Amino acid sequence: MEVKQQYQWHYRHWRLLYTLAAFLLVVLAIGVYLLVYMTGGIKFVYSHSMYVPILLSGFLFGMTGGVLFGLFAGFVLGPFMPINVVTGEMQETVNWLYRTGFFVLVGFLSGMASSMTRSYVERLKMAASQDLATQLPNRNALLEHIARADRGGSPESLVLADIYIENERELNTSFGGAVVDQVIRQFPARVAKALQRELPVFRINSAEMGVLIDVAGQDREELLDALVDVFRAPFPVYDFSIHIDVRI
């Protein structure tokens, strides 16, 4: 299974995986409790094994999960765990509360690091599938959209309309790229007006856009002609209007 397929499988089954992970973390915490108890009590070094599930909980469930599991771990090794099993001497309250505080801190820091990493990955993912100048989905997003449609048994009536701005170079020379981007930002509204429905418009390159249209029960040529007609009207940009030449 490829990495991308693994990611998609994990995304589809995330509830089950997270439930299983939470159960395993609880089991691991109980296992640490038994380890500490069977090796003589909390005064020995084995209690540090609890940091493993705490770090994992923060990594998997973020700051909230790390903090909650830190509290749980502190309670597991807290009032019911003796200092010395042989003598039966119990911990003072301040001792296990202090340890719980450290468990919570470690869980919080682990969760914060995980959340920051996930946020960064999401930004990278968005940047990889979005045209930064116009905020429209880009070529990568189009390919992913087509792949999803193919996996879902996309009907043969699905058509990719390729919208090409023939005078894009002249517009760039005369008005600059920012003005062209302003024009392209208005494409989704024009497409929705022509097709009477909202569809994503993908920016394939600087002068080329794509729209996936399900033409089932409709005349394909009429839809494409409607797209051509709607782009003949000028585009308002700042205090003037821009005319573009479109080929579909």
Side-chain angles (χ1 to χ4, degrees):
M1 185 181 294
E2 297 180 358
V3 174
K4 186 175 182 180
Q5 292 175 326
Q6 290 178 354
Y7 176 81
Q8 291 170 346
W9 187 88
H10 291 160
Y11 183 79
R12 290 195 300 269
H13 300 88
W14 69 270
R15 291 183 184 275
L16 174 63
L17 293 174
Y18 272 43
T19 301
L20 180 61
F23 173 75
L24 292 177
L25 286 173
V26 171
V27 171
L28 189 56
I30 295 173
V32 172
Y33 171 86
L34 294 175
L35 173 66
V36 173
Y37 188 87
M38 294 176 66
T39 53
I42 198 69
K43 71 175 183 177
F44 297 105
V45 72
Y46 301 102
S47 61
H48 293 295
S49 303
M50 188 63 81
Y51 284 111
V52 173
I54 293 173
L55 289 171
L56 289 174
S57 67
F59 176 77
L60 292 173
F61 299 102
M63 290 180 286
T64 302
V67 168
L68 291 177
F69 194 86
L71 289 171
F72 172 71
F75 183 76
V76 167
L77 295 183
F80 305 109
M81 175 61 69
I83 294 178
N84 191 308
V85 174
V86 175
T87 63
E89 180 185 0
M90 301 303 293
Q91 304 176 67
E92 294 183 6
T93 302
V94 66
N95 290 342
W96 67 265
L97 285 178
Y98 186 78
R99 184 187 310 109
T100 300
F102 267 95
F103 284 173
V104 169
L105 177 62
V106 170
F108 173 80
L109 293 176
S110 173
M112 183 172 64
S114 175
S115 298
M116 292 174 63
T117 302
R118 291 180 184 179
S119 177
Y120 179 69
V121 170
E122 286 298 321
R123 288 199 299 270
L124 289 179
K125 184 179 177 182
M126 181 177 294
S129 60
Q130 188 178 67
D131 177 63
L132 298 181
T134 60
Q135 306 303 310
L136 295 178
N138 62 14
R139 181 176 180 273
N140 292 333
L142 173 60
L143 295 176
E144 179 63 28
H145 198 87
I146 293 173
R148 284 201 305 268
D150 185 58
R151 289 194 300 269
S154 174
E156 295 182 358
S157 57
L158 197 63
V159 171
L160 174 61
D162 187 77
I163 306 171
Y164 185 77
I165 305 175
E166 294 188 306
N167 61 335
E168 183 263 346
R169 184 172 298 179
E170 290 80 0
L171 293 173
N172 260 317
T173 302
S174 301
F175 303 104
V179 170
V180 176
D181 292 336
Q182 287 283 353
V183 170
I184 293 174
R185 287 193 189 100
Q186 301 177 46
F187 272 39
R190 293 291 178 99
V191 170
K193 181 179 179 181
L195 303 179
Q196 301 299 310
R197 50 186 153 153
E198 292 187 0
L199 293 173
V201 176
F202 302 89
R203 190 173 191 180
I204 300 173
N205 57 45
S206 61
E208 188 177 8
M209 267 52 66
V211 183
L212 280 173
I213 309 170
D214 188 355
V215 297
Q218 297 175 287
D219 186 275
R220 180 181 305 182
E221 295 301 324
E222 286 185 4
L223 289 176
L224 296 180
D225 288 342
L227 279 176
V228 173
D229 290 339
V230 82
F231 283 109
R232 287 175 178 160
F235 287 79
V237 179
Y238 304 123
D239 295 329
F240 54 93
S241 297
I242 300 291
H243 291 265
I244 64 173
D245 299 326
V246 165
R247 183 179 75 245
I248 299 179

